[in-house]
Amino acid sequence: MNRRALLGSAAVVVGGGLAGCGGTGFSGTVGTNETPFSVEHSHDYDATPSGTRYVISVTATNDGNDPVPEDNRRPKFACVFRDESGDTIHETSRELLESIPPGGSVDLEFILAVDVDQAKRYVLSVGWAPDQESGE
């Protein structure tokens, strides 16, 4: 079961993009995952009238035995785009609002449309959003 169950939009486009080529030497990984989700990801680049942009596609599947989120804990997915030196170019994140049952999945996209020529890799992380009531 695929759902778009995110706070805000499912994709972020930042800025207008730079003209040029993308894709050469660009890669990504899952850095951390503190949730019961398994994470599959891929990347592609699109040439648009305003320039090139990277599109990171993520499918997260609930491999646990319980629906997520539960007990007011919301999963937070983040994508950090880095340059060749490892410095952050852009970071964006999404929190799940709707419950994903065991075996269910959600599709997400993270898009980079600025400083594309400097981007060399992305790192995904999945953790828990701070508790809104306690401020944690």
Side-chain angles (χ1 to χ4, degrees):
M1 159 186 347
N2 287 329
R3 299 182 182 194
R4 296 236 181 226
L6 306 173
L7 178 64
S9 65
V12 170
V13 177
V14 180
L18 297 175
C21 297
T24 305
F26 188 73
S27 64
T29 187
V30 176
T32 59
N33 184 355
E34 302 168 350
T35 70
F37 285 101
S38 61
V39 179
E40 294 180 26
H41 58 98
S42 63
H43 65 274
D44 203 355
Y45 59 93
D46 291 329
T48 68
S50 61
T52 302
R53 65 185 193 155
Y54 282 113
V55 179
I56 312 305
S57 299
V58 177
T59 299
T61 302
N62 181 357
D63 289 339
N65 296 321
D66 298 308
V68 176
E70 65 173 332
D71 301 329
N72 295 324
R73 296 179 73 194
R74 294 177 320 279
K76 182 177 180 179
F77 294 80
C79 183
V80 177
F81 295 91
R82 299 189 184 276
D83 64 15
E84 192 168 5
S85 300
D87 295 327
T88 298
I89 294 172
H90 180 68
E91 180 175 354
T92 186
S93 63
R94 297 284 173 264
E95 294 178 20
L96 288 183
L97 295 178
E98 192 172 326
S99 181
I100 307 300
S105 64
V106 62
D107 293 324
L108 306 101
E109 283 187 340
F110 296 98
I111 298 174
L112 179 69
V114 297
D115 298 326
V116 173
D117 293 337
Q118 286 78 36
K120 295 299 177 191
R121 61 185 288 231
Y122 64 92
V123 179
L124 298 168
S125 61
V126 188
W128 299 106
D131 184 351
Q132 297 291 330
E133 293 179 21
S134 69
E136 290 180 18

